[in-house]
Amino acid sequence: MGAAGAAASLSDFVLDLPGHVSGKVREAWELPDGRRLLVTSDRLSAFDRVIGLVPHKGQVLNQLAGWWFARTADIVPNHLLAIPDPNASLVIDASPLPVEVVVRGRLTGSTSTSILPRYLAGDRVLYGHRLPDGLRPHGPLPQPLITPTTKAQDGGHDQPITVEGVETDGLVERRLWRRIQDVALALFERGSQIAEDAGFVLADTKYEFGLDSDGNLLLIDEVHTPDSSRYWDAANLDARLEAGQAPEGFDKEAVRLALRAAGYRGDGTPPDLAPSVWTETSTRYIALYERLTGLPFVPGEQPIEDRLRRNLAGLLG
Ligand SMILES: Nc1ncnc2c1ncn2[C@@H]1O[C@H](COP(=O)(O)OP(=O)(O)OP(=O)(O)O)[C@@H](O)[C@H]1O
Ligand SMILES: [Mg+2]
């Protein structure tokens, strides 16, 4: 694992509560009252694996998701109930739908589920969408596209599926899937607008949805964070693309690219990356938070574990 800043980072976190489930980035506890406690660590995942630790990342993700949930609640209700600690959220425990709803505004990406590598290889029908010839790498798509993947089970990789396939494979029932697509495109439009006002391009993002105990649709997990999205600096984007350079990203794409450059394709133990990759990613996650929200990023008290335990004491009863 990347060691830079590890002393100040939140890796694993244990609470004396039942119902514990461990994700790649989050530790969760299913509380007996229908709520779920999510603690966001500083772990960074890429290629569906934990690769290393990024200082302050957990706090940035938790607080930025909260900020975006408030700015999208008029489009779709979400799971967020409270933020009892900079790294923790109390949410409605939902039944997650088995599909990751990826929305893309740009022809980009570096992983096998991304559309740029496949477009460059000559593919013109991607996730069931036909693309014209002559699109420029990292340039805008004719319109934002939904490119779903199935949600990988433990240790697996997310698999691409077409918009029609989600319905015909029985992952989500037809009317609900229609609604989800409308909601996802509206969320992406909102996200793109707010990002643009802050000088960013929201290139693509991923949404997760769930149903509450009454069967109502909820936006769950995280929204428009630099883990679930690609964000680019708008100011230098055109000049960089003209010069044949990649966009300047404020997300984890730099980690994916560094892994690729080291020959990693997603299988086996990931290579160690230079410490600068981790510190630079931390700086960028914080810069994104500050520019989007217009608020200074104030790191929570350290050590994070002690602070979490204090702030969550009420739940531990
Ligand atoms: N309100 C909710 N109810 C039930 N499950 C939820 C809710 N919000 C998020 N989840 C689930 O909790 C998990 C969050 O953990 P984490 O972010 O570590 O996910 P992951 O999918 O393992 O990793 P990655 O985000 O890197 O793909 C996800 O499986 C997500 O679907
Ligand atoms: Mg996740």
PDB file of all heavy atoms in Angstrom, residues 37-73:
ATOM      1  N   LEU A  37     -24.679   3.131   9.245  1.00  0.00           N
ATOM      2  CA  LEU A  37     -23.573   4.049   9.519  1.00  0.00           C
ATOM      3  C   LEU A  37     -22.472   3.780   8.503  1.00  0.00           C
ATOM      4  O   LEU A  37     -22.027   2.642   8.340  1.00  0.00           O
ATOM      5  CB  LEU A  37     -23.038   3.808  10.934  1.00  0.00           C
ATOM      6  CG  LEU A  37     -21.747   4.548  11.293  1.00  0.00           C
ATOM      7  CD1 LEU A  37     -21.951   6.060  11.317  1.00  0.00           C
ATOM      8  CD2 LEU A  37     -21.213   4.047  12.643  1.00  0.00           C
ATOM      9  N   LEU A  38     -22.073   4.837   7.792  1.00  0.00           N
ATOM     10  CA  LEU A  38     -20.992   4.705   6.808  1.00  0.00           C
ATOM     11  C   LEU A  38     -19.786   5.501   7.289  1.00  0.00           C
ATOM     12  O   LEU A  38     -19.893   6.713   7.510  1.00  0.00           O
ATOM     13  CB  LEU A  38     -21.417   5.275   5.448  1.00  0.00           C
ATOM     14  CG  LEU A  38     -22.534   4.583   4.664  1.00  0.00           C
ATOM     15  CD1 LEU A  38     -22.795   5.336   3.352  1.00  0.00           C
ATOM     16  CD2 LEU A  38     -22.179   3.131   4.380  1.00  0.00           C
ATOM     17  N   VAL A  39     -18.656   4.836   7.454  1.00  0.00           N
ATOM     18  CA  VAL A  39     -17.410   5.538   7.774  1.00  0.00           C
ATOM     19  C   VAL A  39     -16.522   5.455   6.540  1.00  0.00           C
ATOM     20  O   VAL A  39     -16.215   4.357   6.056  1.00  0.00           O
ATOM     21  CB  VAL A  39     -16.711   4.923   9.006  1.00  0.00           C
ATOM     22  CG1 VAL A  39     -15.332   5.550   9.202  1.00  0.00           C
ATOM     23  CG2 VAL A  39     -17.564   5.141  10.256  1.00  0.00           C
ATOM     24  N   THR A  40     -16.136   6.611   6.017  1.00  0.00           N
ATOM     25  CA  THR A  40     -15.318   6.635   4.798  1.00  0.00           C
ATOM     26  C   THR A  40     -13.851   6.722   5.172  1.00  0.00           C
ATOM     27  O   THR A  40     -13.421   7.670   5.837  1.00  0.00           O
ATOM     28  CB  THR A  40     -15.716   7.817   3.893  1.00  0.00           C
ATOM     29  OG1 THR A  40     -17.129   7.758   3.652  1.00  0.00           O
ATOM     30  CG2 THR A  40     -15.003   7.737   2.557  1.00  0.00           C
ATOM     31  N   SER A  41     -13.091   5.730   4.766  1.00  0.00           N
ATOM     32  CA  SER A  41     -11.656   5.667   5.071  1.00  0.00           C
ATOM     33  C   SER A  41     -10.872   6.468   4.031  1.00  0.00           C
ATOM     34  O   SER A  41     -11.448   7.047   3.105  1.00  0.00           O
ATOM     35  CB  SER A  41     -11.187   4.214   5.057  1.00  0.00           C
ATOM     36  OG  SER A  41     -11.107   3.773   3.703  1.00  0.00           O
ATOM     37  N   ASP A  42      -9.543   6.468   4.179  1.00  0.00           N
ATOM     38  CA  ASP A  42      -8.671   7.118   3.192  1.00  0.00           C
ATOM     39  C   ASP A  42      -8.177   6.148   2.130  1.00  0.00           C
ATOM     40  O   ASP A  42      -7.309   6.472   1.334  1.00  0.00           O
ATOM     41  CB  ASP A  42      -7.476   7.777   3.902  1.00  0.00           C
ATOM     42  CG  ASP A  42      -7.904   8.952   4.772  1.00  0.00           C
ATOM     43  OD1 ASP A  42      -8.884   9.627   4.399  1.00  0.00           O
ATOM     44  OD2 ASP A  42      -7.278   9.185   5.822  1.00  0.00           O
ATOM     45  N   ARG A  43      -8.749   4.937   2.121  1.00  0.00           N
ATOM     46  CA  ARG A  43      -8.317   3.952   1.124  1.00  0.00           C
ATOM     47  C   ARG A  43      -8.741   4.383  -0.272  1.00  0.00           C
ATOM     48  O   ARG A  43      -9.846   4.903  -0.466  1.00  0.00           O
ATOM     49  CB  ARG A  43      -8.944   2.579   1.440  1.00  0.00           C
ATOM     50  CG  ARG A  43      -8.573   2.028   2.809  1.00  0.00           C
ATOM     51  CD  ARG A  43      -9.015   0.574   2.972  1.00  0.00           C
ATOM     52  NE  ARG A  43     -10.450   0.382   2.962  1.00  0.00           N
ATOM     53  CZ  ARG A  43     -11.211   0.230   4.055  1.00  0.00           C
ATOM     54  NH1 ARG A  43     -10.674   0.286   5.264  1.00  0.00           N
ATOM     55  NH2 ARG A  43     -12.505   0.027   3.945  1.00  0.00           N
ATOM     56  N   LEU A  44      -7.848   4.161  -1.233  1.00  0.00           N
ATOM     57  CA  LEU A  44      -8.186   4.442  -2.623  1.00  0.00           C
ATOM     58  C   LEU A  44      -8.292   3.125  -3.371  1.00  0.00           C
ATOM     59  O   LEU A  44      -7.413   2.276  -3.259  1.00  0.00           O
ATOM     60  CB  LEU A  44      -7.124   5.330  -3.281  1.00  0.00           C
ATOM     61  CG  LEU A  44      -7.421   5.714  -4.744  1.00  0.00           C
ATOM     62  CD1 LEU A  44      -7.039   7.153  -5.027  1.00  0.00           C
ATOM     63  CD2 LEU A  44      -6.710   4.787  -5.727  1.00  0.00           C
ATOM     64  N   SER A  45      -9.396   2.948  -4.103  1.00  0.00           N
ATOM     65  CA  SER A  45      -9.536   1.738  -4.906  1.00  0.00           C
ATOM     66  C   SER A  45      -9.426   2.102  -6.381  1.00  0.00           C
ATOM     67  O   SER A  45      -9.837   3.184  -6.805  1.00  0.00           O
ATOM     68  CB  SER A  45     -10.873   1.044  -4.627  1.00  0.00           C
ATOM     69  OG  SER A  45     -11.931   1.728  -5.262  1.00  0.00           O
ATOM     70  N   ALA A  46      -8.816   1.203  -7.138  1.00  0.00           N
ATOM     71  CA  ALA A  46      -8.763   1.319  -8.596  1.00  0.00           C
ATOM     72  C   ALA A  46      -8.716  -0.099  -9.126  1.00  0.00           C
ATOM     73  O   ALA A  46      -8.203  -0.991  -8.440  1.00  0.00           O
ATOM     74  CB  ALA A  46      -7.535   2.107  -9.047  1.00  0.00           C
ATOM     75  N   PHE A  47      -9.236  -0.307 -10.323  1.00  0.00           N
ATOM     76  CA  PHE A  47      -9.327  -1.670 -10.867  1.00  0.00           C
ATOM     77  C   PHE A  47      -9.992  -2.603  -9.847  1.00  0.00           C
ATOM     78  O   PHE A  47      -9.589  -3.762  -9.702  1.00  0.00           O
ATOM     79  CB  PHE A  47      -7.933  -2.205 -11.239  1.00  0.00           C
ATOM     80  CG  PHE A  47      -7.254  -1.411 -12.329  1.00  0.00           C
ATOM     81  CD1 PHE A  47      -6.335  -0.421 -12.020  1.00  0.00           C
ATOM     82  CD2 PHE A  47      -7.544  -1.655 -13.671  1.00  0.00           C
ATOM     83  CE1 PHE A  47      -5.718   0.315 -13.020  1.00  0.00           C
ATOM     84  CE2 PHE A  47      -6.920  -0.930 -14.673  1.00  0.00           C
ATOM     85  CZ  PHE A  47      -6.007   0.062 -14.339  1.00  0.00           C
ATOM     86  N   ASP A  48     -10.998  -2.065  -9.119  1.00  0.00           N
ATOM     87  CA  ASP A  48     -11.757  -2.863  -8.146  1.00  0.00           C
ATOM     88  C   ASP A  48     -10.888  -3.456  -7.034  1.00  0.00           C
ATOM     89  O   ASP A  48     -11.168  -4.535  -6.517  1.00  0.00           O
ATOM     90  CB  ASP A  48     -12.556  -3.985  -8.854  1.00  0.00           C
ATOM     91  CG  ASP A  48     -13.680  -3.430  -9.706  1.00  0.00           C
ATOM     92  OD1 ASP A  48     -14.309  -2.444  -9.272  1.00  0.00           O
ATOM     93  OD2 ASP A  48     -13.920  -3.956 -10.805  1.00  0.00           O
ATOM     94  N   ARG A  49      -9.807  -2.753  -6.674  1.00  0.00           N
ATOM     95  CA  ARG A  49      -8.913  -3.210  -5.603  1.00  0.00           C
ATOM     96  C   ARG A  49      -8.468  -2.028  -4.764  1.00  0.00           C
ATOM     97  O   ARG A  49      -8.355  -0.920  -5.285  1.00  0.00           O
ATOM     98  CB  ARG A  49      -7.629  -3.745  -6.228  1.00  0.00           C
ATOM     99  CG  ARG A  49      -7.606  -5.207  -6.453  1.00  0.00           C
ATOM    100  CD  ARG A  49      -6.202  -5.594  -6.902  1.00  0.00           C
ATOM    101  NE  ARG A  49      -6.140  -7.038  -7.028  1.00  0.00           N
ATOM    102  CZ  ARG A  49      -6.850  -7.725  -7.908  1.00  0.00           C
ATOM    103  NH1 ARG A  49      -7.658  -7.107  -8.727  1.00  0.00           N
ATOM    104  NH2 ARG A  49      -6.759  -9.033  -7.948  1.00  0.00           N
ATOM    105  N   VAL A  50      -8.157  -2.276  -3.512  1.00  0.00           N
ATOM    106  CA  VAL A  50      -7.573  -1.220  -2.689  1.00  0.00           C
ATOM    107  C   VAL A  50      -6.097  -1.089  -3.059  1.00  0.00           C
ATOM    108  O   VAL A  50      -5.347  -2.070  -3.042  1.00  0.00           O
ATOM    109  CB  VAL A  50      -7.714  -1.524  -1.187  1.00  0.00           C
ATOM    110  CG1 VAL A  50      -7.019  -0.446  -0.366  1.00  0.00           C
ATOM    111  CG2 VAL A  50      -9.188  -1.610  -0.810  1.00  0.00           C
ATOM    112  N   ILE A  51      -5.690   0.148  -3.407  1.00  0.00           N
ATOM    113  CA  ILE A  51      -4.330   0.363  -3.914  1.00  0.00           C
ATOM    114  C   ILE A  51      -3.457   1.072  -2.884  1.00  0.00           C
ATOM    115  O   ILE A  51      -2.259   0.826  -2.804  1.00  0.00           O
ATOM    116  CB  ILE A  51      -4.371   1.231  -5.205  1.00  0.00           C
ATOM    117  CG1 ILE A  51      -5.322   0.633  -6.244  1.00  0.00           C
ATOM    118  CG2 ILE A  51      -2.973   1.428  -5.772  1.00  0.00           C
ATOM    119  CD1 ILE A  51      -4.836  -0.636  -6.886  1.00  0.00           C
ATOM    120  N   GLY A  52      -4.029   1.979  -2.108  1.00  0.00           N
ATOM    121  CA  GLY A  52      -3.214   2.728  -1.157  1.00  0.00           C
ATOM    122  C   GLY A  52      -4.052   3.721  -0.370  1.00  0.00           C
ATOM    123  O   GLY A  52      -5.292   3.692  -0.432  1.00  0.00           O
ATOM    124  N   LEU A  53      -3.356   4.575   0.384  1.00  0.00           N
ATOM    125  CA  LEU A  53      -4.026   5.549   1.251  1.00  0.00           C
ATOM    126  C   LEU A  53      -3.747   6.974   0.774  1.00  0.00           C
ATOM    127  O   LEU A  53      -2.615   7.315   0.459  1.00  0.00           O
ATOM    128  CB  LEU A  53      -3.527   5.408   2.686  1.00  0.00           C
ATOM    129  CG  LEU A  53      -3.868   4.094   3.391  1.00  0.00           C
ATOM    130  CD1 LEU A  53      -3.167   4.026   4.747  1.00  0.00           C
ATOM    131  CD2 LEU A  53      -5.375   3.966   3.555  1.00  0.00           C
ATOM    132  N   VAL A  54      -4.794   7.785   0.750  1.00  0.00           N
ATOM    133  CA  VAL A  54      -4.671   9.185   0.363  1.00  0.00           C
ATOM    134  C   VAL A  54      -5.093  10.044   1.552  1.00  0.00           C
ATOM    135  O   VAL A  54      -6.270  10.022   1.945  1.00  0.00           O
ATOM    136  CB  VAL A  54      -5.574   9.502  -0.853  1.00  0.00           C
ATOM    137  CG1 VAL A  54      -5.533  10.979  -1.196  1.00  0.00           C
ATOM    138  CG2 VAL A  54      -5.164   8.656  -2.050  1.00  0.00           C
ATOM    139  N   PRO A  55      -4.138  10.781   2.161  1.00  0.00           N
ATOM    140  CA  PRO A  55      -4.473  11.575   3.343  1.00  0.00           C
ATOM    141  C   PRO A  55      -5.684  12.498   3.092  1.00  0.00           C
ATOM    142  O   PRO A  55      -5.756  13.136   2.037  1.00  0.00           O
ATOM    143  CB  PRO A  55      -3.203  12.401   3.586  1.00  0.00           C
ATOM    144  CG  PRO A  55      -2.099  11.603   2.951  1.00  0.00           C
ATOM    145  CD  PRO A  55      -2.715  10.887   1.787  1.00  0.00           C
ATOM    146  N   HIS A  56      -6.593  12.541   4.028  1.00  0.00           N
ATOM    147  CA  HIS A  56      -7.788  13.408   4.023  1.00  0.00           C
ATOM    148  C   HIS A  56      -8.874  12.992   3.032  1.00  0.00           C
ATOM    149  O   HIS A  56      -9.910  13.637   2.939  1.00  0.00           O
ATOM    150  CB  HIS A  56      -7.421  14.880   3.756  1.00  0.00           C
ATOM    151  CG  HIS A  56      -6.423  15.420   4.716  1.00  0.00           C
ATOM    152  ND1 HIS A  56      -6.667  15.500   6.059  1.00  0.00           N
ATOM    153  CD2 HIS A  56      -5.159  15.879   4.523  1.00  0.00           C
ATOM    154  CE1 HIS A  56      -5.601  16.007   6.665  1.00  0.00           C
ATOM    155  NE2 HIS A  56      -4.669  16.231   5.756  1.00  0.00           N
ATOM    156  N   LYS A  57      -8.607  11.947   2.253  1.00  0.00           N
ATOM    157  CA  LYS A  57      -9.570  11.575   1.217  1.00  0.00           C
ATOM    158  C   LYS A  57     -10.933  11.211   1.796  1.00  0.00           C
ATOM    159  O   LYS A  57     -11.975  11.603   1.270  1.00  0.00           O
ATOM    160  CB  LYS A  57      -9.005  10.416   0.399  1.00  0.00           C
ATOM    161  CG  LYS A  57      -9.936   9.804  -0.612  1.00  0.00           C
ATOM    162  CD  LYS A  57      -9.157   8.758  -1.414  1.00  0.00           C
ATOM    163  CE  LYS A  57     -10.003   7.986  -2.375  1.00  0.00           C
ATOM    164  NZ  LYS A  57     -10.843   6.960  -1.726  1.00  0.00           N
ATOM    165  N   GLY A  58     -10.944  10.465   2.912  1.00  0.00           N
ATOM    166  CA  GLY A  58     -12.215  10.039   3.489  1.00  0.00           C
ATOM    167  C   GLY A  58     -13.083  11.224   3.885  1.00  0.00           C
ATOM    168  O   GLY A  58     -14.284  11.246   3.640  1.00  0.00           O
ATOM    169  N   GLN A  59     -12.449  12.214   4.480  1.00  0.00           N
ATOM    170  CA  GLN A  59     -13.202  13.404   4.892  1.00  0.00           C
ATOM    171  C   GLN A  59     -13.710  14.180   3.674  1.00  0.00           C
ATOM    172  O   GLN A  59     -14.855  14.640   3.653  1.00  0.00           O
ATOM    173  CB  GLN A  59     -12.322  14.302   5.771  1.00  0.00           C
ATOM    174  CG  GLN A  59     -13.083  15.516   6.272  1.00  0.00           C
ATOM    175  CD  GLN A  59     -12.264  16.434   7.168  1.00  0.00           C
ATOM    176  OE1 GLN A  59     -11.244  16.033   7.730  1.00  0.00           O
ATOM    177  NE2 GLN A  59     -12.709  17.679   7.281  1.00  0.00           N
ATOM    178  N   VAL A  60     -12.853  14.327   2.663  1.00  0.00           N
ATOM    179  CA  VAL A  60     -13.286  15.030   1.446  1.00  0.00           C
ATOM    180  C   VAL A  60     -14.489  14.325   0.837  1.00  0.00           C
ATOM    181  O   VAL A  60     -15.506  14.955   0.513  1.00  0.00           O
ATOM    182  CB  VAL A  60     -12.141  15.110   0.397  1.00  0.00           C
ATOM    183  CG1 VAL A  60     -12.679  15.542  -0.961  1.00  0.00           C
ATOM    184  CG2 VAL A  60     -11.051  16.073   0.862  1.00  0.00           C
ATOM    185  N   LEU A  61     -14.420  13.013   0.715  1.00  0.00           N
ATOM    186  CA  LEU A  61     -15.521  12.270   0.087  1.00  0.00           C
ATOM    187  C   LEU A  61     -16.800  12.401   0.891  1.00  0.00           C
ATOM    188  O   LEU A  61     -17.879  12.646   0.346  1.00  0.00           O
ATOM    189  CB  LEU A  61     -15.172  10.782  -0.048  1.00  0.00           C
ATOM    190  CG  LEU A  61     -14.040  10.383  -0.980  1.00  0.00           C
ATOM    191  CD1 LEU A  61     -13.976   8.867  -1.081  1.00  0.00           C
ATOM    192  CD2 LEU A  61     -14.207  10.989  -2.356  1.00  0.00           C
ATOM    193  N   ASN A  62     -16.680  12.207   2.212  1.00  0.00           N
ATOM    194  CA  ASN A  62     -17.875  12.227   3.062  1.00  0.00           C
ATOM    195  C   ASN A  62     -18.539  13.601   3.026  1.00  0.00           C
ATOM    196  O   ASN A  62     -19.754  13.723   2.864  1.00  0.00           O
ATOM    197  CB  ASN A  62     -17.479  11.845   4.490  1.00  0.00           C
ATOM    198  CG  ASN A  62     -18.672  11.605   5.381  1.00  0.00           C
ATOM    199  OD1 ASN A  62     -19.530  10.783   5.074  1.00  0.00           O
ATOM    200  ND2 ASN A  62     -18.743  12.343   6.480  1.00  0.00           N
ATOM    201  N   GLN A  63     -17.722  14.656   3.163  1.00  0.00           N
ATOM    202  CA  GLN A  63     -18.302  16.000   3.218  1.00  0.00           C
ATOM    203  C   GLN A  63     -18.766  16.480   1.835  1.00  0.00           C
ATOM    204  O   GLN A  63     -19.774  17.180   1.720  1.00  0.00           O
ATOM    205  CB  GLN A  63     -17.294  16.971   3.833  1.00  0.00           C
ATOM    206  CG  GLN A  63     -17.050  16.624   5.321  1.00  0.00           C
ATOM    207  CD  GLN A  63     -16.164  17.603   6.041  1.00  0.00           C
ATOM    208  OE1 GLN A  63     -15.273  18.212   5.449  1.00  0.00           O
ATOM    209  NE2 GLN A  63     -16.375  17.753   7.341  1.00  0.00           N
ATOM    210  N   LEU A  64     -18.031  16.094   0.799  1.00  0.00           N
ATOM    211  CA  LEU A  64     -18.441  16.532  -0.540  1.00  0.00           C
ATOM    212  C   LEU A  64     -19.722  15.816  -0.977  1.00  0.00           C
ATOM    213  O   LEU A  64     -20.606  16.429  -1.589  1.00  0.00           O
ATOM    214  CB  LEU A  64     -17.309  16.292  -1.548  1.00  0.00           C
ATOM    215  CG  LEU A  64     -17.466  16.963  -2.904  1.00  0.00           C
ATOM    216  CD1 LEU A  64     -17.662  18.470  -2.767  1.00  0.00           C
ATOM    217  CD2 LEU A  64     -16.256  16.672  -3.803  1.00  0.00           C
ATOM    218  N   ALA A  65     -19.834  14.533  -0.652  1.00  0.00           N
ATOM    219  CA  ALA A  65     -21.077  13.822  -0.973  1.00  0.00           C
ATOM    220  C   ALA A  65     -22.250  14.503  -0.258  1.00  0.00           C
ATOM    221  O   ALA A  65     -23.311  14.717  -0.851  1.00  0.00           O
ATOM    222  CB  ALA A  65     -20.982  12.356  -0.589  1.00  0.00           C
ATOM    223  N   GLY A  66     -22.050  14.868   1.000  1.00  0.00           N
ATOM    224  CA  GLY A  66     -23.106  15.561   1.740  1.00  0.00           C
ATOM    225  C   GLY A  66     -23.505  16.857   1.059  1.00  0.00           C
ATOM    226  O   GLY A  66     -24.697  17.188   0.955  1.00  0.00           O
ATOM    227  N   TRP A  67     -22.504  17.585   0.593  1.00  0.00           N
ATOM    228  CA  TRP A  67     -22.742  18.861  -0.094  1.00  0.00           C
ATOM    229  C   TRP A  67     -23.568  18.639  -1.368  1.00  0.00           C
ATOM    230  O   TRP A  67     -24.534  19.349  -1.636  1.00  0.00           O
ATOM    231  CB  TRP A  67     -21.377  19.493  -0.412  1.00  0.00           C
ATOM    232  CG  TRP A  67     -21.417  20.882  -0.928  1.00  0.00           C
ATOM    233  CD1 TRP A  67     -21.453  22.031  -0.195  1.00  0.00           C
ATOM    234  CD2 TRP A  67     -21.399  21.282  -2.307  1.00  0.00           C
ATOM    235  NE1 TRP A  67     -21.456  23.123  -1.033  1.00  0.00           N
ATOM    236  CE2 TRP A  67     -21.424  22.697  -2.329  1.00  0.00           C
ATOM    237  CE3 TRP A  67     -21.362  20.589  -3.524  1.00  0.00           C
ATOM    238  CZ2 TRP A  67     -21.407  23.432  -3.522  1.00  0.00           C
ATOM    239  CZ3 TRP A  67     -21.355  21.317  -4.712  1.00  0.00           C
ATOM    240  CH2 TRP A  67     -21.370  22.715  -4.700  1.00  0.00           C
ATOM    241  N   TRP A  68     -23.212  17.608  -2.118  1.00  0.00           N
ATOM    242  CA  TRP A  68     -23.931  17.328  -3.369  1.00  0.00           C
ATOM    243  C   TRP A  68     -25.323  16.748  -3.103  1.00  0.00           C
ATOM    244  O   TRP A  68     -26.261  17.021  -3.863  1.00  0.00           O
ATOM    245  CB  TRP A  68     -23.130  16.344  -4.223  1.00  0.00           C
ATOM    246  CG  TRP A  68     -22.077  16.963  -5.082  1.00  0.00           C
ATOM    247  CD1 TRP A  68     -20.721  16.815  -4.958  1.00  0.00           C
ATOM    248  CD2 TRP A  68     -22.275  17.802  -6.239  1.00  0.00           C
ATOM    249  NE1 TRP A  68     -20.077  17.513  -5.961  1.00  0.00           N
ATOM    250  CE2 TRP A  68     -21.004  18.122  -6.753  1.00  0.00           C
ATOM    251  CE3 TRP A  68     -23.409  18.312  -6.890  1.00  0.00           C
ATOM    252  CZ2 TRP A  68     -20.824  18.927  -7.880  1.00  0.00           C
ATOM    253  CZ3 TRP A  68     -23.230  19.115  -8.007  1.00  0.00           C
ATOM    254  CH2 TRP A  68     -21.949  19.418  -8.495  1.00  0.00           C
ATOM    255  N   PHE A  69     -25.464  15.947  -2.057  1.00  0.00           N
ATOM    256  CA  PHE A  69     -26.804  15.415  -1.761  1.00  0.00           C
ATOM    257  C   PHE A  69     -27.772  16.584  -1.535  1.00  0.00           C
ATOM    258  O   PHE A  69     -28.910  16.558  -2.009  1.00  0.00           O
ATOM    259  CB  PHE A  69     -26.775  14.505  -0.520  1.00  0.00           C
ATOM    260  CG  PHE A  69     -26.327  13.090  -0.809  1.00  0.00           C
ATOM    261  CD1 PHE A  69     -25.335  12.482  -0.050  1.00  0.00           C
ATOM    262  CD2 PHE A  69     -26.919  12.349  -1.832  1.00  0.00           C
ATOM    263  CE1 PHE A  69     -24.929  11.163  -0.305  1.00  0.00           C
ATOM    264  CE2 PHE A  69     -26.525  11.037  -2.102  1.00  0.00           C
ATOM    265  CZ  PHE A  69     -25.517  10.452  -1.331  1.00  0.00           C
ATOM    266  N   ALA A  70     -27.305  17.622  -0.827  1.00  0.00           N
ATOM    267  CA  ALA A  70     -28.179  18.775  -0.568  1.00  0.00           C
ATOM    268  C   ALA A  70     -28.523  19.507  -1.869  1.00  0.00           C
ATOM    269  O   ALA A  70     -29.579  20.118  -1.973  1.00  0.00           O
ATOM    270  CB  ALA A  70     -27.495  19.727   0.416  1.00  0.00           C
ATOM    271  N   ARG A  71     -27.621  19.455  -2.833  1.00  0.00           N
ATOM    272  CA  ARG A  71     -27.826  20.180  -4.090  1.00  0.00           C
ATOM    273  C   ARG A  71     -28.500  19.364  -5.187  1.00  0.00           C
ATOM    274  O   ARG A  71     -28.585  19.809  -6.340  1.00  0.00           O
ATOM    275  CB  ARG A  71     -26.484  20.744  -4.580  1.00  0.00           C
ATOM    276  CG  ARG A  71     -26.175  22.042  -3.866  1.00  0.00           C
ATOM    277  CD  ARG A  71     -24.715  22.370  -3.745  1.00  0.00           C
ATOM    278  NE  ARG A  71     -24.587  23.504  -2.831  1.00  0.00           N
ATOM    279  CZ  ARG A  71     -24.601  23.396  -1.500  1.00  0.00           C
ATOM    280  NH1 ARG A  71     -24.728  22.207  -0.930  1.00  0.00           N
ATOM    281  NH2 ARG A  71     -24.510  24.466  -0.744  1.00  0.00           N
ATOM    282  N   THR A  72     -28.929  18.157  -4.851  1.00  0.00           N
ATOM    283  CA  THR A  72     -29.623  17.321  -5.846  1.00  0.00           C
ATOM    284  C   THR A  72     -30.919  16.724  -5.296  1.00  0.00           C
ATOM    285  O   THR A  72     -31.597  15.988  -5.997  1.00  0.00           O
ATOM    286  CB  THR A  72     -28.703  16.149  -6.294  1.00  0.00           C
ATOM    287  OG1 THR A  72     -28.228  15.466  -5.123  1.00  0.00           O
ATOM    288  CG2 THR A  72     -27.513  16.651  -7.100  1.00  0.00           C
ATOM    289  N   ALA A  73     -31.252  17.048  -4.040  1.00  0.00           N
ATOM    290  CA  ALA A  73     -32.400  16.406  -3.392  1.00  0.00           C
ATOM    291  C   ALA A  73     -33.716  16.756  -4.081  1.00  0.00           C
ATOM    292  O   ALA A  73     -34.705  16.034  -3.947  1.00  0.00           O
ATOM    293  CB  ALA A  73     -32.452  16.777  -1.911  1.00  0.00           C
TER     294      ALA A  73
END
